[in-house]
Amino acid sequence: MVPLVLILLGLCFGSFANAFAWRLHEKRNWVSERSECPHCHHILAPKDLVPVLSWLALRGKCRYCRKPIPDTPLPELATPALFVLSYIYWPQPLHGVGLFQFGLWLVFLVAFVVLAVYDIRWYLLPDKVVFPLMALAGVWVAGTWVITGAHGWRAAFGSAVGAAIISGLFFVLHQASKGKWIGFGDVKLGVVLGALAGGALPACLVLFWASCIGVLVSLPLVVAGKAGRKTQLPFGPLLMAGTVIAVLFGQGIVDWYGRLFHL
């Protein structure tokens, strides 16, 4: 039953993330204002807002003006997939500190989807999402320390080291390139991702997997002639994908590497 509940929650929150990113960009009230078509501005009925199914039924077009819906159902599909994947591969028992972190992790995932949608569409990581995530990362660290007791300082220290590595590296790159190589939004996001990684080695895994995914995404575009050296690539989604891999599979990757080289 738990995966089914997570799928339903993921579909709902994925739809919310999709709409929230657009409303944030358009400076619309995401609490009181109802959803509308961005082309004809017709208020959408409840039957138009069913995650994924409405988009499929309408074939990606507005029911009222028949123009293409700019939002794709990918965030609505990605969110439940991430929820279930996290539940299956969560590296800790789901009680005590493991349950506490898992609950917060689901919130982080929804915010990651919002940031990914925003960064892909508008090449920006908005402070209105990143700053609350920084505060939530503080709750993650403090709560972990309190629940684990006397040894909690080790987890807190690991989060501080992880944040320093990712954010510090990006800060140096941002200053050296005067913002041309990497945006300052990635510097701020690095604090959050490093805190979640929880240590020097996991932080390096975040950077490693983000770079690998970046190569896998950009190389086909370069080969096809659709991208070049000056093509701008949103790095935020790659970093968040690398963080998901590091948090869920980081210890397994480290153990596999150690067995491979007899470390």
Side-chain angles (χ1 to χ4, degrees), residues 12 49 56 100 120 128 130 156 182 193 198 223 238 245 247 259:
C12 294
L49 300 173
L56 292 175
F100 166 76
I120 290 171
K128 288 186 177 181
V130 175
I182 198 162
L193 305 184
V223 172
L238 305 179
I245 294 174
V247 170
R259 290 193 300 270

Side-chain angles (χ1 to χ4, degrees), residues 27 29 35 50 69 96 115 122 129 133 141-142 144 149 169 191-193 213 216 218 222 229-230 242 252 255:
K27 297 180 173 58
N29 190 312
S35 298
V50 180
I69 300 172
L115 289 175
W122 299 293
V129 179
L133 281 186
V141 174
T144 301
L169 173 63
V191 175
V192 177
L193 305 184
I213 297 171
L216 292 175
S218 60
V222 172
R229 293 177 57 187
K230 296 184 178 181
D255 293 342

